[in-house]
Coordinates of all heavy atoms in Angstrom, one line a residue:
M184 N 0.8 -1.2 0.0 CA 0.0 0.0 0.0 C 0.9 1.2 0.0 O 1.8 1.3 0.8 CB -0.9 0.0 1.2 CG -1.5 1.3 1.6 SD -2.5 1.2 3.1 CE -1.6 0.1 4.2
H185 N 0.6 2.1 -0.9 CA 1.4 3.4 -1.0 C 0.4 4.5 -0.8 O -0.7 4.6 -1.4 CB 2.1 3.6 -2.3 CG 3.1 2.5 -2.6 ND1 4.3 2.6 -1.9 CD2 3.1 1.4 -3.4 CE1 5.0 1.5 -2.3 NE2 4.3 0.8 -3.2
L186 N 0.7 5.4 0.2 CA -0.1 6.5 0.5 C 0.3 7.7 -0.3 O 1.5 8.0 -0.4 CB -0.1 6.8 2.0 CG -0.6 5.7 2.8 CD1 -0.4 6.1 4.3 CD2 -2.0 5.3 2.5
S187 N -0.6 8.4 -0.9 CA -0.3 9.6 -1.7 C 0.2 10.8 -0.9 O -0.1 10.8 0.3 CB -1.6 10.0 -2.5 OG -2.5 10.6 -1.7
P188 N 0.9 11.7 -1.5 CA 1.3 12.9 -0.7 C 0.2 13.6 -0.1 O 0.3 14.2 1.0 CB 2.1 13.7 -1.8 CG 2.5 12.7 -2.8 CD 1.5 11.6 -2.8
E189 N -1.0 13.7 -0.8 CA -2.1 14.4 -0.3 C -2.6 13.7 1.0 O -3.0 14.3 1.9 CB -3.2 14.5 -1.3 CG -2.9 15.3 -2.6 CD -2.1 14.5 -3.6 OE1 -2.2 13.2 -3.6 OE2 -1.4 15.1 -4.4
D190 N -2.6 12.4 0.9 CA -3.1 11.6 2.1 C -2.1 11.8 3.3 O -2.5 11.7 4.4 CB -3.2 10.1 1.8 CG -4.4 9.8 0.9 OD1 -5.4 10.6 0.9 OD2 -4.3 8.8 0.1
M191 N -0.9 12.0 3.0 CA 0.2 12.1 4.0 C 0.3 13.5 4.6 O 1.0 13.6 5.6 CB 1.5 11.6 3.5 CG 1.5 10.1 3.1 SD 1.2 9.1 4.6 CE 2.6 9.5 5.6
D192 N -0.3 14.5 4.0 CA -0.1 15.8 4.4 C -0.5 16.0 5.9 O 0.3 16.6 6.7 CB -1.0 16.8 3.6 CG -0.7 18.2 3.8 OD1 0.5 18.6 3.9 OD2 -1.6 19.0 4.0
P193 N -1.6 15.5 6.4 CA -1.9 15.7 7.8 C -0.9 15.0 8.7 O -0.5 15.5 9.8 CB -3.3 15.0 8.0 CG -3.9 14.9 6.7 CD -2.7 14.9 5.7
V194 N -0.4 13.8 8.3 CA 0.7 13.1 9.0 C 1.9 13.9 9.1 O 2.5 14.1 10.2 CB 0.9 11.7 8.4 CG1 2.1 11.0 9.1 CG2 -0.3 10.9 8.4
V195 N 2.4 14.5 8.0 CA 3.6 15.3 7.9 C 3.4 16.5 8.8 O 4.4 16.8 9.6 CB 3.9 15.7 6.5 CG1 5.0 16.7 6.5 CG2 4.3 14.4 5.7
K196 N 2.3 17.1 8.8 CA 2.0 18.3 9.7 C 2.1 17.9 11.1 O 2.8 18.6 11.9 CB 0.7 18.9 9.4 CG 0.7 19.7 8.1 CD -0.7 20.3 7.8 CE -0.7 21.0 6.5 NZ -2.0 21.5 6.1
R197 N 1.6 16.8 11.5 CA 1.7 16.3 12.9 C 3.1 16.0 13.3 O 3.5 16.4 14.4 CB 0.8 15.1 13.1 CG -0.6 15.3 13.2 CD -1.4 14.0 13.7 NE -2.8 14.2 13.5 CZ -3.6 14.7 14.4 NH1 -3.0 15.2 15.5 NH2 -4.9 14.8 14.2
L198 N 3.8 15.4 12.4 CA 5.2 15.0 12.7 C 6.1 16.3 12.8 O 7.0 16.4 13.7 CB 5.7 14.0 11.7 CG 5.1 12.6 11.8 CD1 5.6 11.8 10.7 CD2 5.4 12.0 13.2
R199 N 5.8 17.3 12.0 CA 6.6 18.5 12.1 C 6.3 19.2 13.4 O 7.2 19.7 14.1 CB 6.3 19.5 10.9 CG 6.8 19.0 9.6 CD 6.7 20.1 8.5 NE 6.9 19.6 7.2 CZ 8.0 19.2 6.7 NH1 9.1 19.3 7.3 NH2 8.1 18.8 5.4
R200 N 5.1 19.2 13.8 CA 4.7 19.8 15.1 C 5.4 19.0 16.3 O 6.0 19.6 17.2 CB 3.2 19.7 15.3 CG 2.7 20.5 16.5 CD 1.2 20.6 16.5 NE 0.5 20.9 15.3 CZ -0.4 20.2 14.7 NH1 -0.8 19.1 15.2 NH2 -0.9 20.5 13.5
A201 N 5.4 17.7 16.2 CA 6.1 16.9 17.2 C 7.6 17.1 17.2 O 8.2 17.2 18.3 CB 5.8 15.4 16.9
H202 N 8.1 17.3 16.0 CA 9.6 17.7 15.9 C 9.9 19.0 16.7 O 10.8 19.0 17.4 CB 9.9 17.8 14.4 CG 11.4 18.0 14.2 ND1 11.9 19.3 13.9 CD2 12.4 17.2 14.1 CE1 13.2 19.2 13.7 NE2 13.5 17.9 13.9
G203 N 9.0 20.0 16.5 CA 9.2 21.2 17.2 C 9.0 21.1 18.7 O 9.8 21.6 19.5
Q204 N 8.1 20.3 19.1 CA 7.8 20.0 20.5 C 9.1 19.3 21.1 O 9.5 19.6 22.2 CB 6.6 19.1 20.7 CG 5.3 19.9 20.5 CD 4.1 18.9 20.6 OE1 4.1 17.9 20.0 NE2 3.2 19.3 21.5
L205 N 9.6 18.3 20.4 CA 10.8 17.6 20.9 C 12.0 18.5 21.1 O 12.7 18.4 22.0 CB 11.1 16.4 20.0 CG 12.2 15.5 20.5 CD1 11.9 15.0 21.9 CD2 12.4 14.4 19.5
A206 N 12.2 19.4 20.1 CA 13.2 20.4 20.2 C 13.0 21.3 21.5 O 14.0 21.6 22.2 CB 13.3 21.3 19.0
G207 N 11.8 21.6 21.8 CA 11.4 22.3 23.0 C 11.8 21.6 24.2 O 12.3 22.1 25.2
V208 N 11.5 20.3 24.2 CA 11.8 19.4 25.4 C 13.3 19.4 25.6 O 13.8 19.5 26.7 CB 11.3 18.0 25.2 CG1 11.8 17.0 26.2 CG2 9.7 18.0 25.2
L209 N 14.1 19.2 24.5 CA 15.5 19.2 24.7 C 16.0 20.6 25.3 O 16.9 20.6 26.2 CB 16.2 19.0 23.3 CG 16.1 17.6 22.8 CD1 16.5 17.5 21.3 CD2 16.8 16.6 23.6
K210 N 15.5 21.7 24.8 CA 15.8 23.0 25.4 C 15.5 23.1 26.9 O 16.2 23.6 27.7 CB 15.1 24.1 24.6 CG 15.4 25.5 25.1 CD 16.5 26.1 24.3 CE 16.6 27.6 24.6 NZ 17.5 27.9 25.8
M211 N 14.3 22.5 27.2 CA 13.9 22.5 28.6 C 14.9 21.8 29.5 O 15.2 22.2 30.6 CB 12.5 21.9 28.8 CG 11.3 22.7 28.2 SD 9.8 21.8 28.2 CE 9.4 21.9 30.0
I212 N 15.3 20.6 29.0 CA 16.3 19.8 29.8 C 17.6 20.6 29.9 O 18.2 20.7 31.0 CB 16.5 18.5 29.1 CG1 15.2 17.6 29.2 CG2 17.7 17.7 29.7 CD1 15.2 16.4 28.4
E213 N 18.1 21.2 28.8 CA 19.3 21.9 28.8 C 19.2 23.1 29.8 O 20.2 23.5 30.4 CB 19.7 22.4 27.4 CG 20.1 21.3 26.5 CD 20.1 21.7 25.0 OE1 19.7 22.9 24.7 OE2 20.6 20.9 24.2
D214 N 18.0 23.7 29.9 CA 17.8 24.9 30.7 C 17.5 24.5 32.2 O 17.4 25.4 33.0 CB 16.6 25.7 30.2 CG 16.9 26.4 28.9 OD1 18.1 26.4 28.5 OD2 16.0 26.9 28.3
G215 N 17.5 23.2 32.5 CA 17.3 22.7 33.8 C 15.9 22.9 34.3 O 15.7 23.1 35.5
R216 N 14.9 22.8 33.4 CA 13.5 23.0 33.9 C 13.0 21.9 34.8 O 13.6 20.8 34.8 CB 12.6 23.1 32.6 CG 12.9 24.3 31.7 CD 12.2 25.6 32.2 NE 10.8 25.5 32.3 CZ 9.9 25.7 31.3 NH1 10.4 26.1 30.1 NH2 8.6 25.6 31.4
E217 N 11.9 22.1 35.4 CA 11.4 21.2 36.4 C 11.0 19.9 35.7 O 10.5 19.9 34.5 CB 10.1 21.7 37.0 CG 10.4 22.9 38.0 CD 11.1 22.4 39.2 OE1 10.9 21.3 39.7 OE2 12.0 23.2 39.7
C218 N 11.2 18.8 36.4 CA 11.0 17.4 35.8 C 9.5 17.3 35.4 O 9.3 16.8 34.3 CB 11.3 16.4 36.9 SG 11.1 14.7 36.3
A219 N 8.6 17.8 36.2 CA 7.2 17.6 35.8 C 6.8 18.3 34.5 O 6.1 17.8 33.7 CB 6.3 18.2 37.0
D220 N 7.4 19.5 34.3 CA 7.2 20.2 33.1 C 7.8 19.5 31.9 O 7.1 19.4 30.8 CB 7.8 21.6 33.2 CG 7.2 22.5 34.2 OD1 6.1 22.3 34.6 OD2 7.9 23.5 34.7
V221 N 8.9 18.9 32.0 CA 9.6 18.2 30.9 C 8.7 16.9 30.6 O 8.4 16.6 29.4 CB 11.0 17.8 31.3 CG1 11.6 16.9 30.2 CG2 11.9 19.0 31.5
V222 N 8.3 16.2 31.6 CA 7.5 15.0 31.4 C 6.2 15.3 30.7 O 5.7 14.6 29.8 CB 7.3 14.2 32.7 CG1 6.3 13.1 32.6 CG2 8.6 13.7 33.2
T223 N 5.6 16.4 31.1 CA 4.3 16.9 30.5 C 4.5 17.1 29.0 O 3.7 16.7 28.2 CB 3.8 18.2 31.1 OG1 3.5 17.9 32.5 CG2 2.5 18.7 30.4
Q224 N 5.6 17.8 28.6 CA 5.9 18.0 27.2 C 6.3 16.7 26.5 O 5.9 16.6 25.3 CB 7.0 19.1 27.1 CG 6.5 20.5 27.5 CD 5.3 20.9 26.7 OE1 5.2 20.8 25.5 NE2 4.3 21.3 27.4
L225 N 7.0 15.8 27.1 CA 7.3 14.5 26.5 C 6.0 13.8 26.2 O 5.9 13.1 25.2 CB 8.2 13.7 27.4 CG 9.7 14.0 27.4 CD1 10.4 13.2 28.5 CD2 10.3 13.7 26.0
A226 N 5.1 13.8 27.1 CA 3.8 13.2 26.9 C 3.1 13.8 25.7 O 2.5 13.0 24.9 CB 2.9 13.3 28.1
A227 N 3.2 15.1 25.5 CA 2.6 15.7 24.3 C 3.2 15.3 23.0 O 2.6 15.0 22.0 CB 2.6 17.2 24.5
V228 N 4.6 15.2 23.1 CA 5.3 14.7 21.9 C 4.9 13.3 21.5 O 4.6 13.0 20.4 CB 6.8 14.8 22.1 CG1 7.6 14.1 21.0 CG2 7.3 16.2 22.3
S229 N 4.8 12.4 22.5 CA 4.4 11.0 22.3 C 3.0 10.9 21.7 O 2.8 10.2 20.8 CB 4.5 10.3 23.7 OG 4.1 9.0 23.5
K230 N 2.1 11.7 22.3 CA 0.7 11.7 21.8 C 0.7 12.2 20.3 O 0.0 11.6 19.5 CB -0.2 12.6 22.6 CG -1.6 12.5 22.3 CD -2.5 13.3 23.2 CE -3.9 13.2 22.8 NZ -4.8 13.8 23.8
A231 N 1.5 13.2 20.0 CA 1.5 13.7 18.6 C 2.0 12.6 17.6 O 1.5 12.5 16.5 CB 2.3 15.0 18.5
I232 N 3.0 11.9 18.0 CA 3.6 10.9 17.2 C 2.6 9.7 17.0 O 2.4 9.2 15.9 CB 4.9 10.4 17.7 CG1 6.0 11.5 17.6 CG2 5.4 9.1 17.0 CD1 7.3 11.3 18.3
D233 N 2.0 9.3 18.1 CA 1.0 8.3 18.1 C -0.2 8.7 17.1 O -0.6 7.8 16.3 CB 0.4 8.0 19.5 CG 1.4 7.3 20.4 OD1 2.4 6.7 19.9 OD2 1.1 7.2 21.6
R234 N -0.6 9.9 17.2 CA -1.7 10.3 16.4 C -1.3 10.3 14.9 O -2.2 10.0 14.0 CB -2.2 11.7 16.8 CG -2.9 11.6 18.2 CD -3.4 13.0 18.6 NE -4.5 13.5 17.8 CZ -5.8 13.5 18.1 NH1 -6.1 13.0 19.3 NH2 -6.7 13.9 17.3
A235 N -0.1 10.6 14.6 CA 0.4 10.6 13.2 C 0.3 9.1 12.7 O -0.1 8.8 11.6 CB 1.8 11.1 13.1
G236 N 0.7 8.2 13.6 CA 0.7 6.8 13.2 C -0.7 6.3 13.0 O -1.1 5.6 12.0
F237 N -1.6 6.7 13.9 CA -3.0 6.3 13.8 C -3.7 6.9 12.5 O -4.5 6.3 11.9 CB -3.8 6.7 15.0 CG -3.5 5.9 16.3 CD1 -3.3 6.6 17.5 CD2 -3.2 4.6 16.2 CE1 -3.0 5.9 18.6 CE2 -2.9 3.9 17.4 CZ -2.7 4.5 18.6
T238 N -3.3 8.1 12.2 CA -3.8 8.7 11.0 C -3.3 8.0 9.7 O -4.1 7.8 8.8 CB -3.3 10.2 10.9 OG1 -3.8 10.9 12.0 CG2 -3.8 10.9 9.6
M239 N -2.1 7.5 9.7 CA -1.6 6.7 8.6 C -2.4 5.4 8.5 O -2.8 5.0 7.4 CB -0.1 6.4 8.8 CG 0.8 7.6 8.5 SD 2.5 7.1 8.6 CE 2.7 6.0 7.3
I240 N -2.6 4.8 9.6 CA -3.4 3.5 9.6 C -4.8 3.7 9.1 O -5.3 3.0 8.3 CB -3.3 2.8 11.0 CG1 -1.9 2.4 11.2 CG2 -4.3 1.7 11.0 CD1 -1.7 1.9 12.7
A241 N -5.4 4.8 9.6 CA -6.8 5.1 9.1 C -6.9 5.3 7.6 O -7.8 4.8 7.0 CB -7.4 6.3 9.9
T242 N -5.9 6.0 7.1 CA -5.8 6.3 5.7 C -5.6 5.0 4.9 O -6.2 4.8 3.9 CB -4.7 7.3 5.4 OG1 -5.0 8.5 6.1 CG2 -4.6 7.6 3.9
G243 N -4.7 4.2 5.5 CA -4.5 2.9 4.8 C -5.7 2.0 4.8 O -6.0 1.3 3.8
L244 N -6.5 2.0 5.9 CA -7.7 1.3 5.9 C -8.7 1.7 4.8 O -9.3 0.9 4.1 CB -8.4 1.4 7.3 CG -7.8 0.6 8.4 CD1 -8.4 1.1 9.7 CD2 -8.0 -0.9 8.2
E245 N -8.8 3.0 4.6 CA -9.7 3.5 3.6 C -9.2 3.1 2.2 O -10.0 2.7 1.4 CB -9.7 5.1 3.6 CG -10.4 5.6 4.9 CD -10.2 7.1 5.0 OE1 -9.6 7.8 4.1 OE2 -10.7 7.7 6.0
Q246 N -7.9 3.1 2.0 CA -7.4 2.6 0.7 C -7.6 1.2 0.5 O -7.9 0.7 -0.6 CB -5.9 3.0 0.6 CG -5.6 4.4 0.2 CD -4.2 4.6 -0.2 OE1 -3.4 3.7 -0.3 NE2 -3.9 5.9 -0.6
C247 N -7.5 0.4 1.5 CA -7.7 -1.1 1.3 C -9.1 -1.4 1.0 O -9.4 -2.2 0.2 CB -7.3 -1.8 2.6 SG -5.6 -2.0 2.9
I248 N -10.0 -0.6 1.6 CA -11.4 -0.8 1.3 C -11.7 -0.4 -0.2 O -12.4 -1.1 -0.9 CB -12.3 0.0 2.2 CG1 -12.2 -0.6 3.6 CG2 -13.8 0.1 1.8 CD1 -12.8 0.3 4.7
R249 N -11.1 0.6 -0.7 CA -11.3 1.1 -2.0 C -10.7 0.3 -3.1 O -11.2 0.2 -4.2 CB -10.8 2.6 -2.1 CG -11.6 3.6 -1.4 CD -11.3 5.0 -1.8 NE -9.9 5.3 -1.8 CZ -9.2 6.0 -1.0 NH1 -9.9 6.6 0.0 NH2 -7.9 6.2 -1.1
T250 N -9.5 -0.4 -2.8 CA -8.8 -1.0 -3.8 C -9.1 -2.5 -3.9 O -8.4 -3.2 -4.7 CB -7.3 -0.8 -3.6 OG1 -6.9 -1.4 -2.3 CG2 -6.9 0.6 -3.7
D251 N -10.0 -3.1 -3.2 CA -10.3 -4.5 -3.2 C -9.1 -5.4 -3.0 O -9.0 -6.5 -3.5 CB -11.0 -4.8 -4.5 CG -12.3 -4.2 -4.7 OD1 -13.0 -3.9 -3.7 OD2 -12.7 -3.9 -5.8
E252 N -8.2 -5.0 -2.1 CA -7.1 -5.8 -1.8 C -7.6 -7.0 -1.0 O -8.7 -7.0 -0.4 CB -6.1 -5.0 -0.9 CG -4.9 -5.7 -0.4 CD -4.0 -4.9 0.5 OE1 -4.5 -3.8 1.0 OE2 -2.9 -5.3 0.8
D253 N -6.9 -8.1 -1.1 CA -7.3 -9.3 -0.3 C -7.5 -8.9 1.1 O -6.6 -8.5 1.8 CB -6.1 -10.3 -0.4 CG -6.4 -11.6 0.4 OD1 -7.5 -11.6 1.1 OD2 -5.6 -12.5 0.3
T254 N -8.7 -9.0 1.6 CA -9.1 -8.5 2.9 C -8.4 -9.2 4.0 O -8.1 -8.5 5.0 CB -10.6 -8.6 3.1 OG1 -11.1 -9.9 3.0 CG2 -11.4 -7.7 2.1
T255 N -8.1 -10.4 3.9 CA -7.5 -11.2 5.0 C -6.0 -10.6 5.2 O -5.6 -10.3 6.3 CB -7.4 -12.7 4.8 OG1 -8.8 -13.1 4.6 CG2 -6.8 -13.4 5.9
E256 N -5.3 -10.5 4.1 CA -3.9 -10.0 4.2 C -3.9 -8.6 4.6 O -3.1 -8.2 5.4 CB -3.2 -10.2 2.8 CG -2.9 -11.6 2.5 CD -2.2 -11.7 1.1 OE1 -1.7 -10.7 0.6 OE2 -2.3 -12.8 0.5
A257 N -4.8 -7.8 4.1 CA -4.8 -6.4 4.5 C -5.2 -6.2 5.9 O -4.5 -5.4 6.6 CB -5.9 -5.6 3.6
R258 N -6.1 -7.0 6.4 CA -6.5 -6.9 7.8 C -5.3 -7.3 8.7 O -5.0 -6.6 9.7 CB -7.7 -7.8 8.1 CG -8.2 -7.7 9.6 CD -9.4 -8.6 9.9 NE -10.5 -8.3 9.0 CZ -11.0 -9.2 8.1 NH1 -10.6 -10.4 8.1 NH2 -12.1 -8.8 7.4
E259 N -4.6 -8.3 8.4 CA -3.5 -8.8 9.2 C -2.4 -7.8 9.2 O -1.8 -7.5 10.2 CB -3.0 -10.1 8.7 CG -3.9 -11.3 9.0 CD -3.5 -12.6 8.4 OE1 -2.4 -12.6 7.7 OE2 -4.2 -13.6 8.5
R260 N -2.1 -7.2 8.0 CA -1.0 -6.2 7.9 C -1.3 -4.9 8.7 O -0.5 -4.4 9.4 CB -0.8 -5.9 6.4 CG 0.4 -5.0 6.2 CD 0.8 -4.9 4.7 NE -0.3 -5.0 3.8 CZ -1.2 -4.0 3.5 NH1 -1.1 -2.9 4.1 NH2 -2.1 -4.2 2.6
L261 N -2.6 -4.5 8.5 CA -3.0 -3.2 9.2 C -3.1 -3.5 10.7 O -2.7 -2.6 11.5 CB -4.3 -2.7 8.6 CG -4.1 -2.2 7.2 CD1 -5.5 -2.0 6.6 CD2 -3.3 -0.9 7.2
Q262 N -3.5 -4.6 11.1 CA -3.6 -4.9 12.6 C -2.2 -4.9 13.2 O -2.0 -4.4 14.3 CB -4.3 -6.3 12.8 CG -4.5 -6.6 14.2 CD -5.2 -7.9 14.4 OE1 -5.0 -8.9 13.6 NE2 -6.1 -8.0 15.4
K263 N -1.3 -5.5 12.5 CA 0.1 -5.5 12.9 C 0.7 -4.1 13.1 O 1.3 -3.8 14.1 CB 1.0 -6.3 12.0 CG 2.4 -6.5 12.4 CD 3.2 -7.4 11.5 CE 4.7 -7.5 11.9 NZ 5.5 -8.3 11.0
M264 N 0.4 -3.3 12.1 CA 0.8 -1.9 12.2 C 0.2 -1.2 13.3 O 0.8 -0.4 14.1 CB 0.5 -1.1 10.9 CG 1.4 -1.4 9.7 SD 1.2 -0.3 8.3 CE -0.4 -0.7 7.8
F265 N -1.1 -1.4 13.5 CA -1.9 -0.7 14.6 C -1.3 -1.2 15.9 O -1.0 -0.3 16.8 CB -3.3 -1.1 14.5 CG -4.2 -0.4 15.5 CD1 -4.5 0.9 15.4 CD2 -4.6 -1.1 16.6 CE1 -5.3 1.5 16.4 CE2 -5.4 -0.5 17.6 CZ -5.7 0.8 17.5
M266 N -1.1 -2.4 16.1 CA -0.6 -2.9 17.4 C 0.9 -2.5 17.7 O 1.3 -2.4 18.8 CB -0.6 -4.5 17.4 CG -2.1 -5.0 17.4 SD -3.1 -4.3 18.7 CE -2.4 -5.0 20.1
S267 N 1.6 -2.2 16.6 CA 3.0 -1.7 16.9 C 3.0 -0.3 17.6 O 4.0 0.1 18.2 CB 3.8 -1.6 15.6 OG 3.3 -0.5 14.8
L268 N 1.8 0.4 17.5 CA 1.7 1.7 18.2 C 1.2 1.6 19.6 O 1.2 2.5 20.4 CB 0.8 2.6 17.4 CG 1.3 3.0 16.0 CD1 0.1 3.7 15.3 CD2 2.5 3.9 16.1
A269 N 0.8 0.4 20.0 CA 0.2 0.1 21.3 C 1.3 0.0 22.4 O 2.4 -0.3 22.1 CB -0.7 -1.1 21.3

């Protein structure tokens, strides 16, 4: 399954946002910020990355439904991808 650049646009935007958040976390650590503040921001980065992955899987599911791919193989492959994010 190949996702088009248009389908990937929301994923790329989320990952760019997460990239910026991660840079902010590194700066917080370098600046000696409070542990609780750093952990809160790390959780936000983690959630953004997870959401990017879930968005990719959701898009992939839509394509599998549209392209009449072998449903058993598609289901197993997508389930494996989904579970890798758990």
